[in-house]
Amino acid sequence: MDDAVITSSVKSALLADAAIKSFDLQVETRKGTVQLSGFVDSQAQIDQALAVTRGVAGVNGVENSVTLKGTPSTVGTKVDDAVITSSVKTALLAEPGVKSFDISVVTFKGEVQLTGFVNNQGQIDQAARIARSTEGATSIKNELRIKQ
């Protein structure tokens, strides 16, 4: 089954689940392996997202890169996080050596999470350097994987 179809099916299944539909989860698929990332409130929500994903036709593996939020963020923090995410995405797009369309970027309280599948370790390292150098980024969780 095509990876794009699997990604779409997983996103639809997650949106259809009342316990997790309101969370901003990122979905990337490579050769049937789905990588979930983002931030949620509880371990139960992570477990439910993993269970829903595993139940989708064509999924032959799931990599969990979902992180617990911890304490709630403020409106100001949410705005700052959106600016950081946008800055990282813009910088990745401007970098010719990075396959930025294959990278998902999510930020929560200054922690930038990078997920997706790229061609080589150099692209992983460069994406991390870009994220690390972005103003406002306090830490980087680099969950990028090399395409197999």
Side-chain angles (χ1 to χ4, degrees):
M1 186 179 284
D2 181 69
D3 286 338
V5 172
I6 294 171
T7 297
S8 180
S9 297
V10 169
K11 287 180 179 180
S12 294
L14 292 171
L15 285 171
D17 190 291
I20 51 179
K21 71 177 181 179
S22 64
F23 293 98
D24 185 23
L25 294 175
Q26 304 297 311
V27 180
E28 300 287 333
T29 307
R30 178 73 181 157
K31 294 187 177 180
T33 298
V34 176
Q35 186 180 45
L36 292 179
S37 62
F39 295 89
V40 298
D41 294 325
S42 71
Q43 184 62 47
Q45 290 162 335
I46 292 173
D47 295 342
Q48 181 65 13
L50 294 172
V52 167
T53 301
R54 286 185 185 109
V56 172
V59 173
N60 60 32
V62 180
E63 292 183 5
N64 176 20
S65 298
V66 180
T67 302
L68 294 173
K69 286 182 181 178
T71 58
S73 63
T74 64
V75 172
T77 303
K78 288 180 184 176
V79 170
D80 291 344
D81 287 343
V83 169
I84 294 166
T85 296
S86 178
S87 296
V88 171
K89 286 181 177 180
T90 300
L92 288 171
L93 283 170
E95 182 61 38
V98 177
K99 299 270 295 178
S100 58
F101 291 114
D102 295 332
I103 299 174
S104 291
V105 181
V106 181
T107 307
F108 184 75
K109 291 186 176 179
E111 179 184 339
V112 178
Q113 188 178 69
L114 302 173
T115 57
F117 298 91
V118 296
N119 293 333
N120 56 54
Q121 186 62 45
Q123 290 178 343
I124 292 172
D125 297 341
Q126 183 63 15
R129 276 192 293 277
I130 289 169
R132 216 174 277 112
S133 68
T134 301
E135 185 177 345
T138 57
S139 65
I140 308 302
K141 184 175 181 185
N142 190 346
E143 298 288 337
L144 292 170
R145 302 284 186 261
I146 297 172
K147 294 177 182 175
Q148 300 295 329

